[in-house]
Amino acid sequence: MKKELSTVTEIKWMVDEFYELVKKDEILAPFFSKVNWEKHLPTMYKFWENTLFYTGSYSGNPILSHQKLHQKNPLHEELFSRWLALFIQNLETHFEGEKMELAKQRATSISTVMMIKILPFPGQ
C-alpha cells in the first residue's frame, strides 16, 4: 500500500530507496561510485525536507556543487534524464498524495535548472 509522503522519516526512507536504485543503475552508478554516503545522505534528507516541508534545514548551493562535479567528471543530459526517471519511479512506487506530486514537480524543475546551468548549449 502506498503512503503519503508526510514525515521526515518518510523523506529519509524515500531518499535511501532512491539512492539504492542509483547504486544499481548502469548509467548513474559510475557517477556515484565515489560519493561519501555518510555525508551525502544527511544533506539529501535536509534538502528534501526543506523542499517539501519548508523546514529551513538545508543550506547549500546544489548548482555550484554540481558545476564543480561537472568540471571533474563531465555530466550530460542522459544522466539528468535517468536521475529524474528513477526519482519519479521511486516516488510513484511507494507514495501518493500532494507531497508526492510536489516532489515530482520539484525534481523535474531541479533537473531542468541543473541542465541549463551546467551543460553547455549545443555547439559551444
Side-chain angles (χ1 to χ4, degrees):
M1 186 164 124
K2 294 182 183 182
K3 299 196 284 186
E4 291 280 333
L5 187 54
S6 58
T7 68
V8 171
T9 300
E10 289 162 348
I11 292 281
K12 289 178 180 179
W13 190 85
M14 180 268 296
V15 168
D16 289 343
E17 288 297 305
F18 169 67
Y19 282 111
E20 287 304 312
L21 293 173
V22 166
K23 291 175 189 178
K24 297 173 188 168
D25 187 78
E26 63 184 45
I27 295 169
L28 294 175
F31 284 85
F32 285 85
S33 64
K34 295 181 182 179
V35 167
N36 176 341
W37 293 107
E38 289 180 15
K39 182 178 178 186
H40 187 66
L41 288 174
T43 300
M44 292 298 92
Y45 302 151
K46 289 177 184 177
F47 176 83
W48 285 104
E49 287 169 24
N50 189 60
T51 299
L52 299 177
F53 303 137
Y54 311 103
T55 60
S57 60
Y58 175 79
S59 63
N61 187 334
I63 298 291
L64 181 60
S65 299
H66 287 81
Q67 285 172 332
K68 289 178 181 178
L69 176 62
H70 179 64
Q71 291 171 354
K72 293 178 186 175
N73 193 3
L75 304 174
H76 50 82
E77 189 173 340
E78 182 182 21
L79 294 170
F80 290 96
S81 297
R82 185 65 182 152
W83 177 92
L84 182 59
L86 282 182
F87 195 85
I88 289 173
Q89 172 191 325
N90 184 52
L91 286 170
E92 290 179 341
T93 299
H94 302 291
F95 297 98
E96 62 186 2
E98 180 183 328
K99 294 296 184 185
M100 187 273 292
E101 292 297 330
L102 179 60
K104 287 173 27 180
Q105 291 170 1
R106 295 281 164 84
T108 301
S109 296
I110 290 163
S111 179
T112 301
V113 169
M114 289 272 190
M115 283 192 293
I116 290 168
K117 298 272 187 181
I118 295 169
L119 301 181
F121 289 106
Q124 289 186 337

